[in-house]
Amino acid sequence: MKEQHESLVNQKNQKQELGNGVYDRYRYPVLTAQHTPLFWRYDLSPKTNPHLMERFGINAVFNAGAIKLNEKYYVVARVEAANRKSFFAVAESDNGLDGFRFWDRPVDLPSTDVPDTNVYDMRLVQHEDGFIYGLFCTERRDPKAAAADQSAAIAQCGIVRTKDLLSWQRLPDLKTPSPQQRNVVLHPEFVNGKYAFYTRPQDGFIETGKGGGIGWGLSNSMEPAVIEKETVIDPKVYHTIYEAKNGLGPAPVKTKYGWLQLAHGVRHTAAGLRYVLYMFMTDLADPTRVVYQPAGYFMAPEGEERVGDVSNVLFSNGWIADDDGTVFIYYASSDTRLHVASSTIDRLVDYVMNTAKDGLTSGTTVETLKTIIDKNLLNEEQNKNAAKSKAHV
């Protein structure tokens, strides 16, 4: 078992061939339930576990925040036990693509006066105030629900901070005007001297109701963090990949052209909800103003990624922009496993700024395609004429 586990952890990843030019996928997931340490899952004493039974089941490893510190690549993954409760655990890698190994112990997350029933999907951000903040969803049962309804829940944004990923200080949960909050992200810089948050206002645990999209709000402090007014900056739109709901993924990456934003969009299908990733860019001076937004999805589940506990889902809440311009995008598939894709700042900026926006009708979609076709056919004809002329000479 130990040999098999070491072989899995040390498995070298392989870039998939024939990418789309925007990003590269890799053959193997970077983390799965089988990557968790054997001494988490098994009592390794022959005396107390003579049959070598698994004593603590791990169901899935997915939805990880990410950060680079001291030349190491770290993810804080959502680990879901067999009892459906999730917790956070840190895994590190030397290169960001493979070799991720969990630390011996999970994150010892401090609780609030009202204990979290479940926690998940931590976004990490190195803020200019010097702290690394972790914003995550904290879920508790709805106290107003009838006894017969054991699925009614309330989601809010929990907040912790650290400087080393070892010691975590719990801060009060974020307060906003919305009844529930999920997918909250902290902007890495102060805005007008205040802490800035991307929110996802919603009326219920699943349905956003009148929430309407990715929100924005400011707080004077983190102790406590209180947003008095939310403004939707990226609304959900009819017959798009985010017509049901959308939420920001990781904290944005700053470029000279604007803030690169990675988000997830959700739509209803006959087979259930479909989650994909999309990108947009906001203004450097005014992060509430969307300046570029390519049509459609940036990344959607493919092949085996479409199969898992919650099928047909891609979700990302972590990426790392390296010093050389490489970007590692950590995304989970079907609420089951964690993958990595790689790109560069230059490629992502090119994609966001030079891909046509959604015209919101079939007619404008065809016009966009015709523009590309006409340009390519013209170039092909010019190349043929140039070749003929050169051959004649």
Side-chain angles (χ1 to χ4, degrees):
M1 285 173 60
K2 290 181 177 179
E3 289 176 357
Q4 290 178 352
H5 185 263
E6 284 298 307
S7 177
L8 176 65
V9 171
N10 293 316
Q11 185 178 58
K12 293 299 180 183
N13 228 333
Q14 300 173 9
K15 185 183 295 185
Q16 293 184 1
E17 297 180 356
L18 298 177
N20 62 359
V22 184
Y23 55 80
D24 295 296
R25 270 180 159 96
Y26 288 80
R27 179 176 179 182
Y28 303 113
V30 294
L31 287 177
T32 67
Q34 296 302 311
H35 283 79
T36 56
L38 292 175
F39 55 84
W40 288 11
R41 292 179 274 140
Y42 291 87
D43 174 356
L44 298 176
S45 169
K47 291 184 178 179
T48 53
N49 192 14
H51 301 291
L52 196 58
M53 292 183 178
E54 189 177 74
R55 298 297 196 199
F56 189 90
I58 301 293
N59 181 61
V61 176
F62 55 118
N63 296 5
I67 195 168
K68 187 178 182 183
L69 296 170
N70 303 319
E71 301 306 312
K72 292 274 191 178
Y73 301 83
Y74 296 93
V75 295
V76 177
R78 173 181 179 178
V79 182
E80 185 180 81
N83 67 3
R84 198 185 167 193
K85 309 302 185 297
S86 294
F87 57 90
F88 299 118
V90 180
E92 68 176 71
S93 164
D94 290 331
N95 60 25
L97 295 173
D98 51 36
F100 277 94
R101 186 180 295 272
F102 279 104
W103 288 0
D104 286 352
R105 297 180 180 276
V107 171
D108 190 5
L109 189 76
S111 184
T112 60
D113 294 339
V114 182
D116 318 278
T117 299
N118 200 28
V119 294
Y120 45 90
D121 303 352
M122 183 182 288
R123 276 83 168 174
L124 292 174
V125 61
Q126 178 73 67
H127 196 274
E128 69 169 315
D129 73 358
F131 282 103
I132 300 169
Y133 287 91
L135 275 64
F136 58 93
C137 184
T138 170
E139 179 185 324
R140 304 173 179 93
R141 185 175 183 274
D142 186 348
K144 297 179 181 178
D149 185 359
Q150 290 299 323
S151 63
I154 293 178
Q156 295 295 344
C157 171
I159 304 174
V160 290
R161 65 185 178 190
T162 182
K163 290 195 173 181
D164 55 12
L165 306 182
L166 288 166
S167 177
W168 301 80
Q169 177 190 6
R170 183 73 180 260
L171 303 179
D173 292 349
L174 175 68
K175 294 186 181 299
T176 73
S178 301
Q180 302 213 32
Q181 283 287 354
R182 298 171 94 171
N183 303 299
V184 179
V185 180
L186 181 65
H187 191 69
E189 296 182 358
F190 288 112
V191 175
N192 299 326
K194 298 183 179 183
Y195 290 92
F197 294 82
Y198 301 90
T199 65
R200 212 272 294 283
Q202 56 189 82
D203 298 335
F205 183 67
I206 300 296
E207 299 297 331
T208 58
K210 62 179 182 295
I214 296 173
W216 171 269
L218 300 176
S219 174
N220 293 323
S221 171
M222 294 295 287
E223 301 180 72
V226 179
I227 295 174
E228 295 183 354
K229 179 182 179 182
E230 287 179 278
T231 303
V232 172
I233 64 171
D234 185 33
K236 56 185 183 180
V237 179
Y238 169 71
H239 213 84
T240 63
I241 52 97
Y242 45 88
E243 71 174 5
K245 52 187 173 181
N246 53 344
L248 203 64
V253 171
K254 190 176 187 179
T255 75
K256 62 181 179 180
Y257 300 101
W259 292 98
L260 277 176
Q261 308 275 3
L262 179 65
H264 65 268
V266 187
R267 69 180 178 93
H268 292 283
T269 75
L273 296 177
R274 173 174 166 84
Y275 280 67
V276 297
L277 305 179
Y278 71 97
M279 291 192 68
F280 59 100
M281 180 184 286
T282 53
D283 185 72
L284 274 181
D286 180 7
T288 68
R289 188 169 73 90
V290 177
V291 290
Y292 295 101
Q293 187 158 11
Y297 60 74
F298 166 72
M299 182 182 287
E302 294 182 356
E304 294 181 352
E305 295 174 351
R306 299 185 67 247
V307 180
D309 268 11
V310 186
S311 297
N312 211 15
V313 169
L314 282 197
F315 190 92
S316 176
N317 52 292
W319 61 0
I320 294 173
D322 223 335
D323 295 336
D324 65 356
T326 301
V327 179
F328 298 99
I329 303 166
Y330 298 97
Y331 68 96
S333 67
S334 296
D335 282 12
T336 299
R337 59 194 80 80
L338 186 71
H339 308 261
V340 67
S342 65
S343 187
T344 66
I345 295 292
D346 287 345
R347 283 198 282 171
L348 295 178
V349 166
D350 189 321
Y351 165 75
V352 170
M353 294 179 66
N354 296 307
T355 303
K357 66 180 182 179
D358 195 335
L360 302 179
T361 68
S362 293
T364 54
T365 300
V366 171
E367 290 303 315
T368 296
L369 179 56
K370 285 165 58 179
T371 299
I372 296 174
I373 292 172
D374 290 344
K375 180 180 180 181
N376 285 331
L377 291 179
L378 177 61
N379 287 339
E380 186 176 352
E381 185 65 25
Q382 291 174 342
N383 290 337
K384 286 181 180 178
N385 292 336
K388 289 180 181 178
S389 177
K390 184 176 181 181
H392 177 72
V393 172

